[in-house]
Amino acid sequence: MAGDLLKAFQSQAGSCRKLGSPFTAEICELLAEHLDDSSGFGRRILGWPRDPFADALALRAAAGFHALKRARKSTRTRRRLSPQSGRSGGAHGGG
């Protein structure tokens, strides 16, 4: 992930933790660690043409996953983004 994008996701994770949102912080951290260009989502984020800080890109990306979970569009997404799954079996686990 490009330097500014990585910093934006890490910064947002820190802000979320400070504000009492550890689950959103974890999503931002996982995206910073694992986002690549193997999916349309990854390509869109990595190709973001503007300032990721000013556009709150990390928070918007986390919100997108939350929306998918709430809409129950993807069993795999729900399972991976469950707060009970934790980092060991959460959003970056296999499957």
Side-chain angles (χ1 to χ4, degrees):
M1 183 180 288
D4 282 347
L5 280 167
L6 178 61
K7 289 177 189 174
F9 278 76
Q10 292 170 334
S11 176
Q12 186 63 59
S15 295
C16 288
R17 284 204 193 286
K18 287 178 189 173
L19 294 170
S21 299
F23 181 63
T24 304
E26 186 171 334
I27 291 173
C28 291
E29 290 168 348
L30 288 169
L31 287 170
E33 293 170 18
H34 299 283
L35 197 61
D36 61 30
D37 63 359
S38 66
S39 70
F41 176 81
R43 288 187 296 276
R44 177 115 187 214
I45 297 295
L46 294 172
W48 196 254
R50 296 179 299 272
D51 181 353
F53 287 95
D55 291 343
L57 184 59
L59 196 55
R60 290 172 187 255
F65 281 111
H66 183 250
L68 284 174
K69 182 180 181 215
R70 290 192 49 101
R72 300 176 186 250
K73 299 266 184 197
S74 167
T75 301
R76 186 171 145 186
T77 301
R78 284 196 321 271
R79 183 176 64 247
R80 288 180 150 187
L81 294 181
S82 170
Q84 292 79 24
S85 66
R87 288 182 70 89
S88 63
H92 68 285

